[in-house]
Amino acid sequence: MASAVAGLRSVLESEEVDHYAAAIEAAQRALDGLNNFPGGIDSLRSEMDRCAEREKLRLRELIMKAALDHKINGELIRLAMQKNAALQATVAQQSAAATYSDRGHVPSVLGSLLSKKV
């Protein structure tokens, strides 16, 4: 799980759009594996508690790292969505229809929010 979530973070940070789907799928498979653990999360915790102390520490470190990567992934996704919206608005403003259409607005934008003929 930790490596799948870290892999997703790496892809998001490098903005490798072509690899988004595979990284998201790998992270989802890892999370599904945790969710489908026999007996659920409580059983998984019990299994971890039975491990040697050194192994427990290693597993906890991996879980903490995965939790941090998961939080960062959420922020990176939000930033990517904002960037995408900004790019769409910029492209819309640069279209010929934004200034030269007979209706004076960008197609698909309600109420001519981005520009109007003066």
Side-chain angles (χ1 to χ4, degrees), residues 44-52 56 60:
L44 179 61
R45 286 186 183 126
S46 296
E47 288 291 323
M48 286 176 54
D49 287 339
R50 287 187 223 144
C51 293
K56 275 194 260 188
R60 285 187 184 131

Side-chain angles (χ1 to χ4, degrees), residues 1-2 4 13 15 21-22 34 40 43 52 56 58 65 72 109 114:
M1 177 193 67
E13 285 177 332
E15 297 182 0
L34 284 177
S43 178
K56 275 194 260 188
R58 188 182 75 77
K65 183 182 180 323
I72 291 170
V109 177
L114 293 178

Side-chain angles (χ1 to χ4, degrees), residues 4 12 15 20 40 45 47 55 59 68 72 77 84 105 108 115:
L12 289 169
E15 297 182 0
Y20 281 7
R45 286 186 183 126
E47 288 291 323
E55 185 67 10
L59 291 172
L68 177 63
I72 291 170
I77 290 169
N84 185 41
H105 69 278
S108 302
S115 67

Side-chain angles (χ1 to χ4, degrees), residues 64-103:
M64 288 175 57
K65 183 182 180 323
L68 177 63
D69 284 342
H70 181 68
K71 183 178 179 181
I72 291 170
N73 287 347
E75 289 299 315
L76 289 169
I77 290 169
R78 277 188 281 288
L79 289 171
M81 290 171 55
Q82 289 173 351
K83 181 179 179 180
N84 185 41
L87 288 171
Q88 286 180 352
T90 300
V91 168
Q93 279 293 333
Q94 294 172 353
S95 77
T99 54
Y100 299 113
S101 86
D102 59 346
R103 295 179 297 183

Side-chain angles (χ1 to χ4, degrees), residues 22-41:
I24 290 169
E25 185 178 324
Q28 187 61 53
R29 277 195 315 268
L31 292 172
D32 288 345
L34 284 177
N35 289 331
N36 295 328
F37 191 83
I41 293 295

